[in-house]
Amino acid sequence: MKKQQNILIIGAGLCGSLLALRLGQRGFNVNLYEMRPDLRKVNISAGRSINLALSDRGLKAMRLAGVEDQVKKLCIPMNGRLLHDSDGNTVLAPYSGREHEFINSISRGDLNALLLNEAETHQNVSIHFNKKCKSVDFENTTAFFEDYKTKETFVEDADIIIATDGAGSALRKSYFLGKKFLFSFSQDWLTHGYKELSILPAANGGYQTYKNALHIWGRDSFMLIALPNLDGSFTVTLFLSFDEGDYNFGNLTTPEKVLEFFEIYFKDALALMPNLIDEFFTNPTAPLGTVKCSPWSYKGNTLLMGDAAHAIVPFYGQGMNASFEDVVEFDKALDEGQPNSEEGWEAIFKAYQTNRKKDTDAIADLAIDNFHEMKGHVNNAIFREKRNLEMTLEKNFPNAYSSKYSLVTFNEEIGYREAMLRGRAQDKAILNMLTDKELDISDDLETNLKKVNRATEEILENDRVAKNFKH
Amino acid sequence: MKKQQNILIIGAGLCGSLLALRLGQRGFNVNLYEMRPDLRKVNISAGRSINLALSDRGLKAMRLAGVEDQVKKLCIPMNGRLLHDSDGNTVLAPYSGREHEFINSISRGDLNALLLNEAETHQNVSIHFNKKCKSVDFENTTAFFEDYKTKETFVEDADIIIATDGAGSALRKSYFLGKKFLFSFSQDWLTHGYKELSILPAANGGYQTYKNALHIWGRDSFMLIALPNLDGSFTVTLFLSFDEGDYNFGNLTTPEKVLEFFEIYFKDALALMPNLIDEFFTNPTAPLGTVKCSPWSYKGNTLLMGDAAHAIVPFYGQGMNASFEDVVEFDKALDEGQPNSEEGWEAIFKAYQTNRKKDTDAIADLAIDNFHEMKGHVNNAIFREKRNLEMTLEKNFPNAYSSKYSLVTFNEEIGYREAMLRGRAQDKAILNMLTDKELDISDDLETNLKKVNRATEEILENDRVAKNFKH
């Protein structure tokens, strides 16, 4: 048995903090480095993803780390999408026909602080702030840092380096630029960017609009969404093209034009956003990208996790949940492996990626699909008919039917890939049968469930046969 | 009207040479820069893709440039795949049921020389060898070069810079590293690499094995192929995993092991390859990658074309054909645009990409599918039954049926994407009907054609409905 191993984690965001906590619980010596100051002492919200949607895959990870109860206190349940049309009419589209299935709005900062606090309770976990990783020498398992305040640079050695440093990962950049092995890599940008805005709390500290929903103002080629915060405010996000259409981030350059845009498309939201103009011109406009890469590890020494390995767009509310699920899956790989030699770690890293990458690839693709669903299809008649049927099936056959959204969001016992394949086949079956009038919503439910299941199985089977000849 | 415009082309490979020729024919001032020496004066074959498959899309481009007749003299028709099993038995699997549909083996060097010669007949075209482009300043439309011999560096200015400098493009690298705009980019490596070998001509100068076919020794997880050359030799390529399986590039490190591998799997080929060991240990092992990116242009000044914009794996024999078709499509965009102002060029570049990228994305994916088809499925009973049915349909209904292979390879009037969608739907329809015994090869042909077409249309229609809700 080797001496107790030193694990260096780069990045103390949500994934890195949870990983440090879990590896601390498992008894490793953990050093966690973070480029930013300690968010528990300094307010560093930068107008970017202030709150997030926590759902079952993320909660499973919280359970593994023993913090689920604490985390739930930070949660605001969102039972569905509250759809706002241009005239200000609203309708609630539930996420599930099962009452216990909902997602939760949670503050990124509060959750991160909780995980850091928990990690710090372990004597074998040390956290170092204001230390930015510039590159990783993956042949020698050393990381090169710069101190944010003193600008001094230094090198840290470790047995294992795990990078949880997000979409712009220093380790991933070192893999890419190092050209020491064949590194597959993709970055894909959407034509749309986003900007965070806000709805303030009511004067009495309450909520100015319905609290327990994710609000959507879907306008086909762009959309606004809002998620509730514990203090009564909502964090609002505008998703809009950089340069296409009559209104875009490129031409919304004056207060008048911004007001005009909101007057036409988001009148009811505008009424709740007195700070709109200030926020619009102060907060950054950020791009929306998907990053995939492979391999995630080099030999048995360095590993990418979380957004560093697979950054996705936010439209399925699964970015954080997927990163948390990474920790659960990595924990499983540790259980099954032999983390007491370099060969053991190499096998653990490979097993982890083999099991995990198919799922993170799937959620990346699903998240892009959902962008189109949220901004447009939620308003489409056939799409709504499909959702209504699915809600009814989930309600009446709680153990026999789950929509794609439920499979992805509330069925943490299956992977994203399986959820995607089954969910897409169901969607295809229902949409085609509705279009061809082969399904009648007024028919008895059991008949419809059978029809949907039969058509779904046929699609899955036909895809399987064809796919056998593709790979 | 602006003064005659100066176009700088980086890379005098197949795409760059054809582009220089075509733009010369259109009257532009063209300067073509190439990092290598003039291949017409120096033998620079480096054991890598000595010959290629030229088919209808490539020939269409040759026609546009007025060189089709000359090029055809360099061609060796290949009418099908000659499949070699482990016992040395062979069977010819034709590429089409129509006799006039075949692909052609052609020497990369001879074809490139022909295009350079033709380009040079235009006074407004100048070619500069031994000048390596290191980077492009795409804000100022200048390219930075190094002279291969003198190592002197210099900067060239132009109105338009078009990079046809292949998979490692300097302009693409400048786009990526410049971070001046959102640049989507992917590089994907297969687990397999390749190595070029050869079968020598017979003593009398003839061919040692059947001349008019592409030979395939498909062994499921690896394969050997051979294409004929005009001098009686064949260029042989081994596609093999870098590190997986009992035999791989990583462990074939001794002559004994290489001979053992060929003895077991490629006995009949080995008998024709007396130089195997020399070549195996002299020629490089190269990786197989796919590159996609977007946008292909920056403003109206710089543009990526050919492999620089979309490098693909070689398994559909379409890499060169796709690059040549780029020139045809770019020529169309020039016809329809206004190349006398920067705004005009910007519109031309955008129209070109909008029309073209869906097709180069499709052929990239098809090429990867075909890797699996060539090394394994060609030996599968149901796959062969499908091919036999398709050949019979093509033969008996020459105007009513084309297989996926025919759509991609011989139907240059439709784009790769349309060929992919229809071809995949047909494959899925036939494979599923054969698996479910819903098709009987001995049935009358017209019935089977109708069945195939009906099932194909249903698949396409169902995909369309589902896809409307994805994008």
Side-chain angles (χ1 to χ4, degrees):
Chain A
M1 182 86 181
K2 227 179 142 182
K3 70 165 173 54
Q4 196 178 21
Q5 290 180 304
N6 293 308
I7 300 186
L8 192 162
I9 301 175
I10 305 167
L14 293 168
C15 183
S17 303
L18 175 64
L19 180 67
L21 167 56
R22 186 61 197 147
L23 294 182
Q25 290 171 338
R26 292 187 72 114
F28 293 103
N29 277 338
V30 176
N31 276 286
L32 175 59
Y33 284 82
E34 167 58 39
M35 61 183 268
R36 295 189 187 81
D38 188 343
L39 56 77
R40 295 166 298 182
K41 298 174 185 165
V42 186
N43 181 3
I44 52 168
S45 75
R48 285 172 69 169
S49 50
I50 290 161
N51 57 17
L52 297 156
L54 179 66
S55 51
D56 294 23
R57 293 173 197 275
L59 285 167
K60 182 182 179 185
M62 298 301 99
R63 209 146 53 234
L64 173 71
V67 296
E68 190 183 16
D69 290 344
Q70 291 178 68
V71 168
K72 281 196 165 166
K73 290 178 192 146
L74 303 175
C75 288
I76 303 175
M78 298 186 288
N79 295 299
R81 297 165 170 164
L82 197 82
L83 309 176
H84 297 245
D85 75 14
S86 298
D87 298 324
N89 303 312
T90 60
V91 57
L92 183 73
Y95 280 123
S96 168
R98 287 173 283 264
E99 286 201 0
H100 64 279
E101 291 184 347
F102 52 84
I103 65 176
N104 302 281
S105 180
I106 193 166
S107 152
R108 175 194 289 271
D110 290 351
L111 179 55
N112 208 337
L114 188 158
L115 294 171
L116 288 171
N117 287 340
E118 281 298 313
E120 272 185 345
T121 64
H122 296 269
Q123 286 200 314
N124 48 329
V125 176
S126 308
I127 313 181
H128 315 265
F129 293 97
N130 295 305
K131 312 278 186 277
K132 182 181 171 64
C133 181
K134 311 284 279 186
S135 64
V136 176
D137 178 345
F138 51 83
E139 304 263 27
N140 296 303
T141 326
T142 57
F144 179 70
F145 288 95
E146 185 184 75
D147 187 293
Y148 182 75
K149 292 176 177 168
T150 65
K151 303 290 167 198
E152 274 172 40
T153 60
F154 59 98
V155 169
E156 284 293 317
D157 199 347
D159 296 311
I160 303 293
I161 296 178
I162 304 180
T164 52
D165 50 348
S169 172
L171 175 59
R172 204 187 62 234
K173 211 179 292 170
S174 295
Y175 280 173
F176 183 83
L177 297 175
K179 300 197 177 181
K180 297 283 173 71
F181 57 93
L182 293 178
F183 186 59
S184 294
F185 168 76
S186 70
Q187 62 182 31
D188 275 292
W189 303 103
L190 293 187
T191 51
H192 286 54
Y194 74 97
K195 189 186 283 285
E196 288 204 346
L197 306 162
S198 71
I199 292 173
L200 295 184
N204 66 0
Y207 292 83
Q208 292 207 65
T209 181
Y210 182 62
K211 176 185 176 185
N212 291 112
L214 191 154
H215 294 255
I216 305 184
W217 294 257
R219 299 296 180 263
D220 292 324
S221 54
F222 49 86
M223 71 171 166
L224 195 71
I225 68 168
L227 278 76
N229 297 310
L230 287 173
D231 67 0
S233 69
F234 288 81
T235 302
V236 178
T237 311
L238 172 65
F239 297 95
L240 180 66
S241 174
F242 283 108
D243 51 16
E244 285 164 5
D246 290 340
Y247 297 91
N248 57 58
F249 280 122
N251 67 22
L252 288 180
T253 52
T254 63
E256 294 71 33
K257 190 111 193 234
V258 172
L259 281 176
E260 176 188 301
F261 175 53
F262 274 74
E263 286 276 359
I264 298 174
Y265 291 105
F266 312 120
K267 204 174 170 65
D268 59 333
L270 177 62
L272 311 174
M273 300 173 74
N275 298 329
L276 171 65
I277 296 302
D278 258 13
E279 291 174 340
F280 195 93
F281 291 101
T282 305
N283 290 347
T285 306
L288 293 158
T290 302
V291 172
K292 295 178 183 172
C293 66
S294 181
W296 287 347
S297 60
Y298 181 71
K299 298 185 177 167
N301 304 115
T302 54
L303 173 71
L304 298 165
M305 277 179 78
D307 283 4
H310 49 75
I312 66 178
V313 295
F315 305 107
Y316 229 109
Q318 287 293 323
M320 168 179 65
N321 292 290
S323 290
F324 282 167
E325 201 179 46
D326 279 5
V327 178
V328 175
E329 295 301 320
F330 186 62
D331 194 69
K332 252 187 235 166
L334 282 172
D335 283 344
E336 290 158 10
Q338 307 282 338
N340 46 18
S341 68
E342 197 174 310
E343 296 69 41
W345 279 107
E346 185 165 1
I348 288 167
F349 290 173
K350 282 194 176 166
Y352 166 67
Q353 177 173 346
T354 300
N355 170 52
R356 185 69 181 144
K357 186 165 160 49
K358 63 182 189 319
D359 291 320
T360 57
D361 283 351
I363 192 59
D365 296 347
L366 284 166
I368 291 170
D369 293 354
N370 227 38
F371 176 43
H372 304 288
E373 177 168 324
M374 287 173 77
K375 67 184 166 53
H377 310 149
V378 286
N379 304 322
N380 174 288
I382 286 196
F383 179 85
R384 285 201 187 186
E385 213 178 340
K386 173 178 87 72
R387 284 299 289 169
N388 287 341
L389 171 64
E390 290 189 290
M391 292 309 98
T392 315
L393 291 176
E394 289 189 340
K395 193 167 183 168
N396 289 278
F397 308 101
N399 302 313
Y401 191 80
S402 289
S403 71
K404 183 174 76 180
Y405 190 88
S406 283
L407 291 167
V408 170
T409 309
F410 308 120
N411 284 257
E412 70 276 15
E413 73 288 354
I414 66 169
Y416 286 124
R417 184 174 160 78
E418 193 184 330
M420 177 180 77
L421 293 179
R422 177 154 199 98
R424 283 185 173 173
Q426 284 175 178
D427 283 356
K428 191 173 178 175
I430 301 175
L431 291 168
N432 270 294
M433 288 194 291
L434 287 175
T435 304
D436 300 347
K437 309 223 182 294
E438 292 168 8
L439 259 189
D440 183 349
I441 299 286
S442 60
D443 256 9
D444 88 287
L445 262 183
E446 204 153 336
T447 306
N448 277 342
L449 177 64
K450 272 187 196 151
K451 274 188 190 173
V452 170
N453 281 341
R454 199 183 316 120
T456 300
E457 288 307 329
E458 198 181 316
I459 289 168
L460 286 170
E461 178 56 27
N462 287 352
D463 285 348
R464 262 192 295 270
V465 169
K467 202 175 145 287
N468 280 342
F469 289 91
K470 278 183 62 194
H471 293 295
Chain B
M1 181 85 180
K2 224 180 145 183
K3 71 164 173 53
Q4 196 178 22
Q5 289 179 304
N6 293 308
I7 299 186
L8 192 162
I9 301 175
I10 305 167
L14 293 166
C15 183
S17 305
L18 175 64
L19 181 67
L21 167 57
R22 186 61 197 149
L23 294 182
Q25 291 171 337
R26 292 187 72 114
F28 293 104
N29 277 338
V30 176
N31 276 287
L32 176 58
Y33 283 83
E34 167 58 39
M35 62 183 268
R36 295 190 186 81
D38 189 343
L39 58 77
R40 295 166 299 182
K41 297 174 184 165
V42 187
N43 180 5
I44 51 168
S45 76
R48 286 172 69 171
S49 53
I50 290 160
N51 57 17
L52 298 156
L54 179 66
S55 51
D56 293 25
R57 293 174 197 273
L59 286 167
K60 182 182 179 187
M62 299 299 100
R63 209 145 57 234
L64 173 71
V67 296
E68 190 183 15
D69 289 345
Q70 291 178 67
V71 168
K72 281 197 165 166
K73 289 178 192 147
L74 302 175
C75 288
I76 302 174
M78 298 186 288
N79 294 299
R81 296 165 170 165
L82 197 82
L83 309 177
H84 297 246
D85 74 14
S86 298
D87 298 324
N89 303 312
T90 61
V91 56
L92 183 72
Y95 280 123
S96 168
R98 288 171 283 264
E99 287 201 359
H100 64 279
E101 290 183 346
F102 52 83
I103 65 177
N104 302 281
S105 180
I106 193 166
S107 153
R108 174 195 288 272
D110 289 352
L111 179 55
N112 207 337
L114 188 158
L115 294 171
L116 289 171
N117 287 340
E118 282 298 312
E120 272 186 343
T121 64
H122 295 269
Q123 287 200 313
N124 49 327
V125 176
S126 307
I127 312 181
H128 315 265
F129 293 97
N130 295 306
K131 311 279 187 276
K132 181 180 173 64
C133 181
K134 310 284 279 187
S135 64
V136 176
D137 179 346
F138 52 83
E139 305 263 26
N140 296 303
T141 326
T142 58
F144 179 69
F145 288 95
E146 183 183 76
D147 187 293
Y148 183 75
K149 292 176 179 169
T150 65
K151 304 290 167 198
E152 276 172 40
T153 60
F154 59 98
V155 168
E156 286 291 318
D157 200 346
D159 297 311
I160 303 292
I161 296 177
I162 303 180
T164 53
D165 49 349
S169 173
L171 174 59
R172 203 187 63 233
K173 211 178 294 171
S174 295
Y175 280 174
F176 183 83
L177 297 175
K179 301 197 176 180
K180 297 284 172 71
F181 56 93
L182 292 179
F183 186 59
S184 294
F185 167 76
S186 71
Q187 63 183 30
D188 274 293
W189 302 104
L190 293 188
T191 51
H192 286 54
Y194 73 97
K195 188 186 282 286
E196 289 204 347
L197 306 163
S198 70
I199 292 173
L200 295 184
N204 66 1
Y207 292 83
Q208 293 207 67
T209 181
Y210 182 63
K211 176 185 177 185
N212 292 111
L214 191 153
H215 294 256
I216 305 184
W217 293 257
R219 300 296 179 262
D220 291 324
S221 53
F222 49 86
M223 71 170 165
L224 195 71
I225 68 167
L227 278 77
N229 297 311
L230 287 173
D231 67 0
S233 68
F234 287 81
T235 302
V236 178
T237 311
L238 172 64
F239 297 94
L240 180 66
S241 173
F242 283 109
D243 51 18
E244 285 164 5
D246 290 339
Y247 297 91
N248 57 57
F249 280 122
N251 68 22
L252 288 180
T253 52
T254 63
E256 294 71 33
K257 190 110 193 237
V258 172
L259 281 176
E260 175 187 302
F261 176 53
F262 273 73
E263 285 276 0
I264 298 174
Y265 291 105
F266 313 120
K267 202 174 170 66
D268 60 333
L270 177 63
L272 309 175
M273 301 173 73
N275 298 329
L276 170 65
I277 296 303
D278 259 14
E279 290 174 340
F280 195 93
F281 291 102
T282 305
N283 290 347
T285 305
L288 294 158
T290 302
V291 172
K292 295 177 183 172
C293 66
S294 182
W296 287 346
S297 60
Y298 181 70
K299 297 186 176 167
N301 303 115
T302 54
L303 174 71
L304 297 164
M305 278 179 78
D307 283 4
H310 49 75
I312 65 178
V313 295
F315 306 106
Y316 229 110
Q318 287 294 322
M320 168 178 65
N321 293 290
S323 292
F324 282 167
E325 201 180 45
D326 278 5
V327 178
V328 175
E329 295 301 321
F330 186 63
D331 194 69
K332 253 188 233 165
L334 283 172
D335 283 345
E336 290 159 10
Q338 306 282 337
N340 46 18
S341 68
E342 197 172 311
E343 295 69 41
W345 279 108
E346 185 165 1
I348 288 166
F349 290 173
K350 281 194 177 167
Y352 166 66
Q353 178 174 346
T354 300
N355 171 52
R356 185 68 181 145
K357 185 165 161 49
K358 64 182 188 319
D359 291 320
T360 57
D361 283 351
I363 191 61
D365 296 347
L366 284 165
I368 290 170
D369 292 354
N370 227 38
F371 176 44
H372 304 288
E373 177 169 325
M374 287 173 78
K375 68 183 166 53
H377 310 150
V378 287
N379 303 322
N380 173 287
I382 286 196
F383 180 85
R384 286 200 186 187
E385 213 178 341
K386 173 179 88 72
R387 285 300 290 169
N388 288 341
L389 172 64
E390 290 188 291
M391 291 308 99
T392 315
L393 292 177
E394 288 189 340
K395 193 168 183 169
N396 289 276
F397 308 100
N399 302 314
Y401 191 80
S402 288
S403 72
K404 182 175 77 180
Y405 191 88
S406 284
L407 292 167
V408 171
T409 309
F410 307 121
N411 284 257
E412 70 277 14
E413 73 287 354
I414 66 169
Y416 286 123
R417 184 174 160 78
E418 193 184 329
M420 177 181 76
L421 293 179
R422 178 155 198 96
R424 283 185 174 173
Q426 284 174 177
D427 283 355
K428 190 173 179 176
I430 300 175
L431 290 168
N432 271 293
M433 287 194 291
L434 287 174
T435 304
D436 299 346
K437 309 224 181 294
E438 291 168 10
L439 259 189
D440 183 347
I441 298 287
S442 60
D443 256 8
D444 90 288
L445 263 183
E446 206 154 334
T447 307
N448 278 341
L449 177 64
K450 274 186 195 152
K451 275 188 188 173
V452 170
N453 281 341
R454 199 183 317 120
T456 300
E457 289 307 328
E458 198 182 316
I459 289 169
L460 286 170
E461 178 55 27
N462 287 352
D463 285 348
R464 261 192 296 270
V465 169
K467 202 175 147 286
N468 280 341
F469 289 91
K470 277 184 61 193
H471 293 294

